[in-house]
Amino acid sequence: MSGGGTSVAVLGTGIMGSAVARNLLEAGMEVRVWNRTREKAEPLGAEGAQVADSPREAARGSRVLITMLSDADAVERAVGEGVLETLAPGAVWLQTSTVGIEGTRRLQRMALEQGVAYVDAPVLGTREPAEAGELVVLASGPEEVRPDCEPVFEAIGKKTLWVGPVGAGTRLKLVVNGWITGLLGVLGETFALAERLGVDPSSFFEAVEGGPLDLPYARVKGKMMAEREYPTSFSVRLARKDVALILEAAGSLRLPVCEAVAYHLDRAAEAGRAEDDMAALYEGVRATSG
């Protein structure tokens, strides 16, 4: 399957899905899109995508199905509307949402029941890398469908890691998300401590500048915290969902840092920040101060 002329259905055109669809269009692919709230998909129509009224309409005859939705339940609802049986023969389903271990098993079963090749392919990156086509794809699935996936992954990402059979991509994504959310939690507490001690946050960055503790990620999220402005790249609500998936996967393994991050995210949501960027975790930390 070459890039040009490849027919792709994208279910879910939020921040990430709309960026993915645009990059597929730019790569010369035929793209059909669907979103539960049609208004979020309509701008893509002006850019060359076909906007469908239902997931089934979007998927009909497509060689590739991409799901980029909030969680496993949302994916199951969308795909469960008779979508898989309408795909072209030999089609492949690229499941790019972060759905956790049990969610991945559930969705893979749906694919197996319809004889559709399933690739577990969560991505690393938020709004900016998605828009730039610089996501990192953590792909896992059948070896034989890799050539069908490559044009799509090249269009949306800067790097693809094939990490094993279905489920391996999701496990790696949970590990990376544990690192990301842990950093976010520590950063939020660091800024709250700076505020309590009367330290200008810019002094913190000056102190670590140029060394191994100077992380670009911390600067991006720290700027939001310092300004208390949180334009959304990835929301508090979705970050909390991902932390729940990490804790569920950990089972009997205690992860106190993740538990603390969950607590801060819950406080941020209670403060009305659920749809703000996950850097608004800082507001959750501040909300607990006496």
Side-chain angles (χ1 to χ4, degrees):
M1 185 191 301
S2 62
T6 300
S7 56
V8 185
V10 179
L11 306 186
T13 58
I15 290 173
M16 300 292 288
S18 59
V20 163
R22 287 188 177 96
N23 285 314
L24 295 173
L25 288 166
E26 191 170 326
M29 300 185 193
E30 175 191 331
V31 180
R32 276 174 275 172
V33 297
W34 169 85
N35 196 74
R36 183 175 57 84
T37 305
R38 183 184 170 94
E39 289 75 15
K40 290 186 178 181
E42 285 178 344
L44 293 164
E47 299 175 44
Q50 299 175 47
V51 180
D53 290 322
S54 68
R56 186 180 174 92
E57 180 185 338
R60 187 174 294 114
S62 295
R63 295 293 308 280
V64 177
L65 171 68
I66 296 177
T67 44
M68 181 67 85
L69 295 157
S70 59
D71 55 32
D73 289 343
V75 175
E76 187 171 25
R77 283 194 298 270
V79 175
E81 297 182 17
V83 165
L84 299 180
E85 62 202 51
T86 71
L87 295 169
V92 60
W93 176 8
L94 309 182
Q95 206 306 103
T96 63
S97 320
T98 302
V99 298
I101 292 173
E102 180 53 38
T104 296
R105 291 174 181 151
R106 189 173 8 136
L107 299 175
Q108 183 189 20
R109 283 196 296 270
M110 293 177 65
L112 289 172
E113 288 169 2
Q114 294 296 328
V116 174
Y118 182 88
V119 176
D120 167 35
V123 297
L124 299 179
T126 52
R127 181 196 294 268
E128 291 80 5
E131 290 175 346
E134 295 181 350
L135 296 170
V136 175
V137 182
L138 308 178
S140 56
E143 292 275 345
E144 61 270 19
V145 301
R146 286 194 189 186
D148 295 337
C149 303
E150 285 169 1
V152 172
F153 291 158
E154 287 171 3
I156 70 173
K158 64 179 179 181
K159 179 168 68 174
T160 300
L161 299 178
W162 285 93
V163 294
V166 169
T170 282
R171 291 193 295 275
L172 178 55
K173 178 66 186 295
L174 294 175
V175 169
V176 175
N177 277 4
W179 168 245
I180 292 169
T181 55
L183 285 175
L184 185 70
V186 170
L187 186 65
E189 292 187 0
T190 298
F191 270 59
L193 178 62
E195 181 180 23
R196 175 58 60 93
L197 299 181
V199 173
D200 187 335
S202 64
S203 299
F204 163 71
F205 285 119
E206 288 173 7
V208 301
E209 184 174 7
L213 302 179
D214 188 6
L215 302 177
Y217 177 81
R219 287 187 175 270
V220 171
K221 298 304 183 185
K223 183 175 185 291
M224 293 184 183
M225 292 178 185
E227 296 175 354
R228 298 187 67 186
E229 296 287 340
Y230 308 102
T232 307
S233 289
F234 194 77
S235 71
V236 164
R237 175 176 59 84
L238 292 178
R240 180 62 177 88
K241 179 264 299 185
D242 285 356
V243 171
L245 293 174
I246 293 166
L247 293 171
E248 178 183 283
S252 61
L253 175 66
R254 280 291 310 278
L255 299 177
V257 172
C258 274
E259 291 169 4
V261 170
Y263 177 81
H264 293 323
L265 289 168
D266 285 342
R267 301 293 81 72
E270 289 170 3
R273 301 285 186 168
E275 299 305 324
D276 286 350
D277 189 83
M278 61 183 180
L281 167 144
Y282 176 51
E283 303 298 330
V285 180
R286 295 182 79 253
T288 65
S289 63

